[in-house]
Amino acid sequence: MSNAGDGTIGVGMVGHAFMGRVHSHAWRTVHHFFDVPQAPRLAVLGGRDLERTKAAAAKLGWEDFETDWRALIARDDVQIVDICTPGDSHKDIAIAALEAGKHVLCEKPLANTVEEAREMAEAAAAASARGQRSMVAFNYRRVPALAVARRMIADGKLGKIRHVRAQYLQDWLSDPDAPMAWRLRKQEAGSGALGDIGAHIIDASQFVLGEHLAGVSALTETFVHKRPIAGDPDGRLDDVTVDDTALFIGKFASGTMASYEATRFALGRKNSMRLEVNGEKGSLAFDFESMNELSYYDGGSPDETAGFRRILITEASHPYAGAWWPPGHIIGYEHTFTHEVFDFLTHIGDGTDPAPSFADGLQVQQVLGAVEASAGNESRWTAVP
Ligand code: SOE
């Protein structure tokens, strides 16, 4: 990959809403805290509206701005394309960027359908052979506590795993008068809570356990079918065409039993992404709202002192933590994105494929598709008389 030659690598990012803002923060800070082969240069920000994109570029620290993502991809000062748009544009932007010889970081979920995700994974595999790296931005893998959980399970600390239960609870849609958003339109988002936050707990649970789900059975529900269009003078409503909540159970290849809950109606839970793993020798529990902590129950403890204990994951020996502050000076949501671009830049530098790959993103998309299929008509729902 030809780079700027000044030791930097040019980034072109498409999208400047929540993900664009937090990715910008990651690109701006990564080389000040981590040793990376090339420092990222925030070359160009892409958006649809000229004035808003120009303002966002200035605010978020981008050197230039562009309203045509195809022109952004074609620029010689862009070696990495970072996709922070709604899911309906992921495939077109990612495949064009891969075919243009760029490395690609794409927000989750990879796509809006399994078919789109498959095309992207095929393009990424071909690009890898040409020395191009691609990765899906499942940032919760980069929470130090979840990296420690994965390591403890891989080291057998919990023994054979019997259960994993995962929840991703938010409440920003609890109010039926909360306005319409792109995340509520199937055409743009692909699905609702399922793909937006359910994808995170599918990927995080598989990452921590080190294995894939073999099958699911599911229910989805939409509580609020119409919502006001923000700022509409006539108070018009628009149709919600996605799920408001998804509940599903699953079984892993090893026989581990799993239960999942994804909702944006859990009033009072702001961004509570929770995992609990129960093994024969111990258990782990995590809640993102206390993201620097991991609760561990050691089944080998004598009864009188047994109990879940809190491990503060801020030691230099913990993944990523040593790059920041002394123990106990906790980190936050945005740090997981800095960890993500650190790993991406490292893989670009040493010519190896990052994880999660687009193939991993396709596998998550297949789980999402199975949940939708099960909830749609194949779910064996037995009514209670
Ligand atoms: C909204 O549910 C959202 O912004 C998700 O889209 C992000 O992936 C999650 O990290 C925070 O909540």
Side-chain angles (χ1 to χ4, degrees):
M1 290 306 304
S2 68
N3 299 325
D6 59 358
T8 68
I9 185 166
V11 183
M13 184 174 77
V14 188
H16 50 79
F18 179 13
M19 287 301 115
R21 289 171 58 228
V22 74
H23 281 228
S24 299
H25 181 278
W27 293 119
R28 288 198 308 268
T29 54
V30 63
H31 49 301
H32 297 301
F33 290 90
F34 292 89
D35 295 329
V36 288
Q38 288 127 351
R41 196 165 23 78
L42 284 71
V44 54
L45 176 63
R48 286 175 293 195
D49 175 274
L50 180 64
E51 287 313 309
R52 285 179 37 226
T53 306
K54 180 179 179 182
K59 192 172 182 68
L60 299 175
W62 293 83
E63 293 167 11
D64 196 358
F65 56 94
E66 177 58 70
T67 55
D68 173 2
W69 62 259
R70 293 186 185 281
L72 177 147
I73 284 175
R75 290 169 62 129
D76 288 340
D77 61 348
V78 168
Q79 285 84 45
I80 293 172
V81 173
D82 183 7
I83 304 171
C84 293
T85 57
D88 60 340
S89 57
H90 287 186
K91 185 194 82 167
D92 290 348
I93 299 172
I95 290 179
L98 289 165
E99 288 174 352
K102 315 295 180 172
H103 306 293
V104 178
L105 174 61
C106 184
E107 261 298 328
K108 44 51 65 181
L110 182 61
N112 281 1
T113 66
V114 172
E115 293 67 36
E116 289 177 345
R118 194 183 314 284
E119 283 183 59
M120 296 168 78
E122 287 164 1
S128 173
R130 301 193 297 266
Q132 297 166 242
R133 305 299 153 219
S134 48
M135 187 165 106
V136 190
F138 282 114
N139 63 298
Y140 292 113
R141 288 182 176 222
R142 268 81 190 187
V143 172
L146 291 185
V148 168
R150 175 185 168 91
R151 189 191 299 173
M152 289 177 71
I153 290 168
D155 290 349
K157 287 271 194 323
L158 304 192
K160 181 165 181 51
I161 306 300
R162 297 299 185 196
H163 287 280
V164 60
R165 63 188 64 77
Q167 302 162 320
Y168 199 148
L169 310 176
Q170 295 179 337
D171 69 359
W172 56 280
L173 291 174
S174 295
D175 178 354
D177 295 328
M180 203 53 201
W182 70 261
R183 284 182 171 86
L184 301 174
R185 294 191 184 92
K186 186 172 183 62
Q187 171 55 37
E188 293 175 81
S191 64
L194 176 61
D196 182 32
I197 51 181
H200 276 303
I201 49 180
I202 291 165
D203 182 69
S205 58
Q206 295 186 136
F207 169 72
V208 163
L209 291 183
E211 63 166 324
H212 287 157
L213 279 161
V216 294
S217 181
L219 288 173
T220 57
E221 185 60 79
T222 302
F223 299 125
V224 175
H225 291 272
K226 288 183 179 297
R227 288 187 177 271
I229 296 168
D232 183 276
D234 305 322
R236 277 177 300 171
L237 301 176
D238 197 358
D239 292 333
V240 171
T241 52
V242 296
D243 58 281
D244 280 331
T245 185
L247 308 182
F248 52 107
I249 54 178
K251 195 170 184 178
F252 281 78
S254 66
T256 300
M257 302 292 276
S259 61
Y260 295 86
E261 188 179 357
T263 181
R264 297 170 304 193
F265 283 72
L267 195 55
R269 300 297 179 196
K270 299 306 173 182
N271 198 50
S272 183
M273 190 270 241
R274 301 170 173 176
L275 275 179
E276 178 162 325
V277 180
N278 305 132
E280 283 192 330
K281 292 163 59 181
S283 291
L284 290 172
F286 170 80
D287 183 341
F288 183 75
E289 289 186 357
S290 304
M291 69 166 276
N292 292 273
E293 303 175 14
L294 183 63
S295 295
Y296 170 46
Y297 181 92
D298 178 357
S301 304
D303 290 351
E304 56 272 16
T305 58
F308 273 95
R309 62 183 173 84
R310 181 191 80 152
I311 308 172
L312 195 53
I313 309 284
T314 56
E315 298 298 320
S317 59
H318 289 139
Y320 309 107
W324 298 104
W325 323 121
H329 297 66
I330 57 177
I331 62 173
Y333 178 70
E334 73 278 16
H335 294 80
T336 69
F337 291 86
T338 304
H339 302 163
E340 187 170 77
V341 299
F342 163 54
D343 289 341
F344 193 43
L345 291 168
T346 302
H347 281 284
I348 288 171
D350 61 24
T352 55
D353 286 327
S357 65
F358 277 22
D360 295 324
L362 167 60
Q363 189 272 339
V364 171
Q365 208 77 40
Q366 288 167 324
V367 176
L368 296 173
V371 167
E372 287 188 311
S374 175
N377 47 29
E378 292 133 51
S379 178
R380 190 170 295 285
W381 175 247
T382 306
V384 176

